[in-house]
Amino acid sequence: MQKKRFLLAGGLNSIHIYNLVRNVLINTDFEITAYHTTGDLESIPQKYLDLYHKAGITVVPGQNVSKVGKLKYIRGVYSDLKALGKFDIINLHYVSHYVAPIIASLSKNYGKIILTFWGSDLLRSTGIKRLLTLPAIKKASTLQLMTAGMFERFSQTKGYKKFVGKIKVLDFGDMFLDGIDKYRQQSDEIRNSIKTSFGLLPDVPVVVIGYVGRPEMQQLKAVQSILSDSKLDRKSFQIALPIYGMKEDSVKELDAVLKDSGIHYRLYPDFMQEEEVVKFRSINDIFIHPQTSDALSCSVMECFYAGCIIINGGWLNYNLLDKHGVYYHKFNDFSDLGCILSKIISNYHTEVLNSQKNIPIVKEMVHWDVLRPQWLSIYENE
């Protein structure tokens, strides 16, 4: 039986595409070609290219719009896709208003068109961009959205409403969960040694604030709020702050505030690699998430999956977690943080047990073991 021809179109230098191949496409019976919509092969990490080769995928370089300009980019992508010929399935990742119209114009070359929206391609789309993507949406058999929030936005968008019947809400799985599982099974002795390797004290709860150093994470404000609570025992916990991307003057200010606090703390300014991330998640005991807005990021879900005790900003829309009965704390005012943290530490054992109940719930939401069959059903169903 002849294999189905599958065209994967998107930024092949994206961690999401890499993990889709690693967790789903590597095990399929398709004859796969991958077209790099954002540039040449040199822009793809060698680790990614090695995986694509292992999966038997033919990788085709594309165009870089910032280098060649909009018109040359559009002509180049059209020429590239036309030359690649016919496919049983095409899956476009990130529905660009440059690429989507080209796929619509070449639709006779594709038996099945799947458009996978990533977020900003829908949420930040303007009127003209929506108009340009509409022909591809009309011709698509499946419109894949990552979140319920995206579904809500799509269904309320003028010109899109009539196509809601094509929608499948399905996100990428999280790449770090298997690693978190591995470290979850380690002894307290090993866990303490990991804490020590991060410059933290053994046997003292680790309070992590945020997951990156951008201003929207409001890490300094959260620290200052905690320190303003005079009743909080500063020896009963320690603070760990991932601050990758934070400006130097902000780092100095944060460091100065913590240095005078009497609390043991560590700042992590460098980008963490995969193994470092899973180790760090494994020693997060309490996670405070004060970000101004968030679409239920992978980093937050990893903390839930690691069994962390979570304190979320009450303004964050986490209705999906509430719907599934996920246990966590909310604060609506920064002045409440110290009190909430104090109550958690006072009832620490109970809080740990309640938070560990979240693990199987979150697994059903973001683990590749659960999501893989759903991705395959999109590709394999006629």
Side-chain angles (χ1 to χ4, degrees):
M1 184 177 176
Q2 189 175 10
K3 290 184 177 181
K4 285 187 177 181
R5 299 192 73 218
F6 184 107
L7 179 57
L8 175 67
L12 304 184
N13 55 352
S14 165
I15 188 68
H16 297 303
I17 297 288
Y18 171 79
N19 279 299
L20 177 64
V21 172
R22 186 171 74 167
N23 289 282
V24 179
L25 294 177
I26 197 170
N27 296 314
T28 61
D29 198 33
F30 297 127
E31 179 187 321
I32 303 174
T33 298
Y35 177 66
H36 187 32
T37 57
T38 57
D40 52 28
L41 297 187
E42 285 71 26
S43 65
I44 305 173
Q46 189 58 48
K47 173 183 174 182
Y48 293 15
L49 288 172
D50 291 343
L51 175 72
Y52 302 154
H53 177 72
K54 180 182 177 182
I57 295 174
T58 301
V59 177
V60 179
Q63 314 291 322
N64 186 319
V65 67
S66 62
K67 288 183 180 179
V68 302
K70 296 176 184 177
L71 287 177
K72 283 188 176 180
Y73 176 79
I74 292 168
R75 289 182 189 135
V77 172
Y78 179 86
S79 177
D80 291 342
L81 291 179
K82 187 176 181 181
L84 286 174
K86 295 188 175 184
F87 289 85
D88 297 290
I89 303 166
I90 181 172
N91 182 199
L92 173 63
H93 280 260
Y94 191 89
V95 185
S96 157
H97 61 288
Y98 297 133
V99 182
I102 296 169
I103 290 174
S105 69
L106 295 172
S107 61
K108 290 183 180 179
N109 284 351
Y110 311 122
K112 182 177 182 179
I113 297 173
I114 301 166
L115 301 181
T116 301
F117 289 84
W118 280 18
S120 62
D121 48 349
L122 173 65
L123 302 177
R124 298 176 191 169
S125 181
T126 61
I128 186 64
K129 290 179 180 178
R130 288 196 294 270
L131 199 61
L132 289 168
T133 58
L134 200 53
I137 288 173
K138 288 179 179 177
K139 293 180 180 295
S141 58
T142 303
L143 305 173
Q144 185 183 355
L145 308 179
M146 297 292 159
T147 65
M150 288 176 66
F151 176 86
E152 186 176 343
R153 171 65 69 87
F154 189 99
S155 61
Q156 294 173 353
T157 299
K158 186 178 180 181
Y160 283 4
K161 297 177 185 178
K162 65 178 79 172
F163 303 110
V164 293
K166 297 182 179 185
I167 291 175
K168 171 72 174 178
V169 178
L170 179 62
D171 205 344
F172 294 104
D174 192 293
M175 63 182 285
F176 295 123
L177 301 193
D178 288 337
I180 291 171
D181 282 335
K182 179 179 73 173
Y183 284 102
R184 194 202 319 280
Q185 298 166 9
Q186 301 298 332
S187 65
D188 288 342
E189 183 181 356
I190 292 176
R191 196 165 179 272
N192 278 331
S193 72
I194 296 172
K195 282 188 178 183
T196 303
S197 72
F198 278 94
L200 297 166
L201 303 173
D203 298 318
V204 177
V206 177
V207 177
V208 176
I209 303 173
Y211 55 83
V212 73
R214 57 174 171 255
E216 295 84 0
M217 201 60 68
Q218 305 189 97
Q219 289 159 304
L220 177 61
K221 189 174 182 180
V223 168
Q224 290 172 327
S225 300
I226 291 169
L227 296 180
S228 68
D229 191 321
S230 59
K231 296 179 182 179
L232 193 58
D233 180 3
R234 299 187 179 189
K235 300 296 182 184
S236 65
F237 65 97
Q238 54 191 325
I239 290 178
L241 284 152
I243 56 168
Y244 176 72
M246 184 178 285
K247 292 182 178 178
E248 188 176 349
D249 56 343
S250 298
V251 173
K252 288 179 179 178
E253 184 179 7
L254 182 60
D255 191 38
V257 169
L258 283 163
K259 196 171 287 183
D260 293 335
S261 70
I263 296 174
H264 185 82
Y265 74 97
R266 283 292 182 271
L267 306 178
Y268 305 100
D270 298 326
F271 181 81
M272 292 187 187
Q273 300 300 324
E274 184 172 344
E275 188 67 11
E276 291 176 291
V277 171
V278 295
K279 284 183 177 181
F280 189 67
R281 296 281 186 264
S282 76
I283 59 167
N284 287 196
D285 296 307
I286 301 168
F287 177 72
I288 298 174
H289 187 213
Q291 192 172 194
T292 55
S293 63
D294 182 67
L296 203 53
S297 68
C298 289
S299 297
V300 174
M301 294 301 277
E302 287 156 16
C303 290
F304 275 110
Y305 190 72
C308 301
I309 301 163
I310 309 289
I311 308 174
N312 265 327
W315 53 87
L316 298 172
N317 184 357
Y318 282 178
N319 292 337
L320 184 63
L321 297 181
D322 298 335
K323 180 182 176 182
H324 284 84
V326 173
Y327 177 81
Y328 65 100
H329 297 267
K330 297 180 183 180
F331 71 99
N332 293 308
D333 194 291
F334 277 84
S335 62
D336 298 331
L337 261 182
C339 181
I340 294 172
L341 183 57
S342 181
K343 288 179 180 178
I344 287 172
I345 293 171
S346 297
N347 300 283
Y348 190 68
H349 180 66
T350 301
E351 289 288 344
V352 169
L353 292 177
N354 286 335
S355 298
Q356 287 178 343
K357 294 176 184 177
N358 292 331
I359 296 170
I361 301 174
V362 173
K363 180 174 183 176
E364 289 295 314
M365 297 168 71
V366 295
H367 204 292
W368 272 117
D369 286 351
V370 176
L371 301 182
R372 184 182 298 111
Q374 298 177 51
W375 277 89
L376 287 173
S377 71
I378 291 176
Y379 295 144
E380 293 173 351
N381 289 347
E382 298 296 337

